[in-house]
Amino acid sequence: MSKKAFTIKEIRASFLEYFESKKHLIEKSASLMPADDPTLLFTTAGMVPFKDYFSGIVKPPSPRIASVQKCFRTTDLSNVGRTLRHMSMFEMLGNFSFGDYFKKEAIEFAWEYVTNYLPFDKEKIWVTIYLDDDEAFDIWHKHIGMPANKIVRLGKKDNFWGPAGSTGACGPCSELYLDRGETYSCESDDPKPGDEGERFMEFWNLVFNQFDLKENGEYAPLKSTGIDTGAGLERLATLVQGVDSVFDTDELKRLREVVEEVYGVKYEGDSIDSIRVLVDHVRALTFTMSDGIFPSNESRGYVLRRLLRRALLFGRKIGQKEPLLYKLVPTVVEIYGYFYPGLKLSAQLVADYIQGEERRFLQTLEVGYQKIYNIMHHTKEFRNSEKVITGKEIFTLYDTFGFPPEMTQEIAESEGFQIDLAGFGAEMEKQRNRGKSAWKGDASVLKEISTQTKFIGYDCESAHAQVTELLLTDESGKSETKKNVHDYEVSGRVFYLVTDQTPCYPESGGQMGDYGFAHGEHFNCKIIDTQKQGNSILHVCEALEGEIAAGAKVEIKIDTDRRENLRKNHSVTHLLNAALRKKFGAHIKQSGSLVDPDYLRFDFSHPNRLDESEVEAIEIEVNSAIGRKLGVNTQELVKDEAEKTGAVMNFGEKYGDVVRVVKMGDTSSDYSIEFCGGTHVKNTNDIKLFLIAKESSPGAGNRRIEAVTFDKACQKIVDLENNLSQQLHVEGHNIADAYKDSFQKIHIELQSVMKKPEAEKFSILHWHVIKKLEKQISELIVNNKKALKKSAVTSDIDEELLDNLVNTKIVKNGNNVISGTVEGGIPQMKIMVDYLRSKSPDSIIILFSFGEPVGKWNLLLATTYAYAEKTGFDASKNIKQLMATHPELKGGGGGKKELAQATGMIPAEGSAVVEKIFVEELI
């Protein structure tokens, strides 16, 4: 290579080019949301996407793979900003071998790359190895030529990796270090890697997976050895570019300079830590949110909310008082979008969402800050020398003020306080009352299954099969495999039937499992669910008649009506996904779904509620796609080929080497292309009709649509029509004079609509007509009730008294003033104000009453909106000033410039004093 890599962009490119030349398959970065791995919240290392390859569960597409993987960790979050190296989000360069090459080649590759492709001085490179790894020592010393004194043996804590759990693959590792010279600190007279200080920086870890740790503590040889290496890109760039910290490397420095500009501070002195935090956290937030993970109060979302709020805490330290962090998102996208194009699709969504979170939390931050400092002040004053914030105080800050315990800890420790996190945990435990939902079966049942079941239900609705396993659980949930099961054994209980093949689709990808029937020579039973575990498909059965035995022949038939509804509802989720992306943009990502025979639920990433017109537009778009009679075709493709089709993949789903692609389209174009293993209609016209029943939010940053297709949609239309007719009938018994014509008109319109023939009635256009009538009827009923209530109240007011107040109005400070004491509370007084406004629109009105409720006074100060605009009069401002001037009134209030109100306690001096203050000082 003629030019050695220097910038981060060049390092990425050179690393991938080098390993591609060494016959490595180059894999794109996986999502920060691990696919099908409940043990991890985030992708924390380069090897995470390849765990199944190392374990042997899945065969890798190549025995050699290399990647640049985006990673996210918060284990050392408190150090981010305070040190030169720590980051929450980083990129990991890695090369991997699955039973192919081992130590010799891994070391050769690493040495050749860092000495030929990076501008490192060979003399400054040191390595560490595991204490007794003589093989690695010989390779480095005898084969590579590394001087023995630059090969440092370290113990298990530093140079032995794994296993990921209590048992499994593990092995020694070798790490490469760069000696940065005597200008960097080192607490040793004989400086070498492993010492405290900044002089030696580790930049590449080569893990040699060669042992299998058994439960008894034995390190047995691994059947197939492997290589897992990782080099932090930012750390590597720090050394390549000869800078002090990761925040001085070229890409992060660009972002750092924009932070300085947006926040109006220099990267110096006390501002350094805050700027580093903002740089790291906004980058991490942009990447994670672009992968469909949004701040919330649960699981992954809570980690992100904590990260965002920590950024605001440090932003406050450098003067942030309004949303600013969101302004950095475009710069993150500009810097990294060339390598991670997905960032460009979600840029506006991420910025808008962060801005909303900032606006909400900055208010909480001020309140929380004050509360914490009040607690610390109280602690110093009344708890002698004890400087501890109690668990209960931390809980109150969190539960009442929304202030995260991690931020309480950060602030407290900066002031020399300790916090009682154990006590906080105890308080949280008291509050928790979460039930744990269990699957119909039990994990212990599933572990006993060895059958590989072939699913053949895409093309058939019944099939002959052989019973391979029978499982039964007792009342405690303990399971056992049975050779045969009698009907008397399972009376009122379920049992599990496993066969060599089945037409029943197991619950997967959001689609519910099939129901059906199983019939044999000596038995019949009902299938009430179908589930999958590994390569096995379980039929959850009940209502057994006769005796069923392992090895028996069985005919399995699915519930075809139920399956047909599942097909419609699953296919329409694809159309809905495509319609949402078409209307709102490619940032729309499916975040969850449920395909039930009665309805469908579709969750997607989007920050804002869909308004009525948007919901209607989506309904029209989906029904248009249904009406176009688009063909639905499926094909199995190698994953790389499938990706080239532009097929949509779902976050959180793990795909094999061969995937099933579902296309919906006509000869001119595809409307929808998705990776999907579910069952579907043959043509979109089979769906017939799609209605949205509800739009809501399942959690921060996500929206949920619940919808129905033809059968349930038709029923929904009929039910709504009948419900509206019933409402009009009930409300029609008591109608205000002003609304009698409106009730009559809308009643006639509804009756006309209800008489439409089915061909017109069961359509999206008819549905929208009915929805508009529903809104009109609802508004009419509300207005009628208000009119009836107002009529009842108006009939009780003393018009003669009010006319007298108008006739005796005075002029004060250039204003006509109507004032006086009336009877009644605030609602009645507002009716009186409306009456007085109509009689004298260019006057200021002061009405007060006493004793409703007992011991209280009520005040209304009002005029017309036009008069307030014309004169600059502000009723709300006048009332607030009066209340501030006279605390003895023990009152408060406010409102608008044309109408404000106040209430308070009548003082001991009596109501006359109150009345005098109102009349003399309000105007």
Side-chain angles (χ1 to χ4, degrees), residues 373-388 390 393 417:
Y373 279 100
N374 287 345
I375 290 170
M376 290 191 291
H377 175 73
H378 181 272
T379 300
K380 288 177 182 177
E381 192 166 341
F382 297 104
R383 297 183 195 164
N384 299 321
S385 60
E386 184 186 3
K387 295 177 72 175
V388 178
T390 68
E393 289 167 332
F417 274 71

Side-chain angles (χ1 to χ4, degrees), residues 735-752:
I735 307 173
D737 290 342
Y739 291 103
K740 285 183 178 179
D741 288 345
S742 298
F743 264 87
Q744 180 68 15
K745 182 180 178 183
I746 204 164
H747 178 75
I748 293 171
E749 188 175 353
L750 178 61
Q751 291 302 311
S752 173

Side-chain angles (χ1 to χ4, degrees), residues 471-473 482 485-496 525 541-546 548:
L471 296 103
L472 203 58
T473 57
K482 304 278 287 185
V485 176
H486 295 269
D487 49 15
Y488 61 79
E489 290 183 272
V490 293
S491 177
R493 294 164 58 193
V494 300
F495 66 96
Y496 304 90
C525 65
C541 302
E542 66 175 12
L544 175 65
E545 296 176 0
I548 184 171

Side-chain angles (χ1 to χ4, degrees), residues 242-396:
V243 293
D244 287 336
S245 83
V246 292
F247 299 99
D248 298 318
T249 56
D250 63 300
E251 291 186 345
L252 288 175
K253 185 179 179 183
R254 279 178 63 191
L255 181 55
R256 192 191 81 196
E257 289 169 347
V258 177
V259 172
E260 292 179 74
E261 180 183 335
V262 169
Y263 283 76
V265 293
K266 292 292 185 184
Y267 185 62
E268 59 189 20
D270 294 338
S271 299
I272 290 176
D273 288 2
S274 292
I275 291 174
R276 287 175 179 169
V277 166
L278 293 167
V279 167
D280 173 83
H281 289 11
V282 76
R283 184 173 76 143
L285 288 164
T286 303
F287 271 83
T288 49
M289 292 170 73
S290 294
D291 277 353
I293 312 168
F294 287 84
S296 69
N297 289 328
E298 299 292 336
S299 189
R300 297 180 178 96
Y302 179 70
V303 176
L304 290 202
R305 179 157 283 167
R306 172 187 168 194
L307 193 79
L308 197 155
R309 291 179 171 183
R310 186 172 187 264
L312 297 183
L313 175 65
F314 278 87
R316 187 184 186 277
K317 290 181 179 181
I318 54 175
Q320 181 179 2
K321 303 221 180 274
E322 61 184 27
L324 293 175
L325 193 68
Y326 78 98
K327 295 182 179 180
L328 305 175
V329 173
T331 304
V332 176
V333 175
E334 181 185 332
I335 294 171
Y336 296 97
Y338 73 91
F339 194 75
Y340 299 101
L343 294 174
K344 298 176 184 178
L345 302 178
S346 304
Q348 192 59 51
L349 168 72
V350 172
D352 290 346
Y353 196 88
I354 290 177
Q355 183 182 17
E357 284 278 316
E358 284 188 276
R359 186 178 292 111
R360 286 188 291 272
F361 188 64
L362 282 171
Q363 298 170 345
T364 301
L365 187 57
E366 292 304 317
V367 176
Y369 238 101
Q370 191 57 51
K371 275 287 176 184
I372 291 173
Y373 279 100
N374 287 345
I375 290 170
M376 290 191 291
H377 175 73
H378 181 272
T379 300
K380 288 177 182 177
E381 192 166 341
F382 297 104
R383 297 183 195 164
N384 299 321
S385 60
E386 184 186 3
K387 295 177 72 175
V388 178
I389 297 179
T390 68
K392 192 164 187 177
E393 289 167 332
I394 303 167
F395 177 77
T396 300

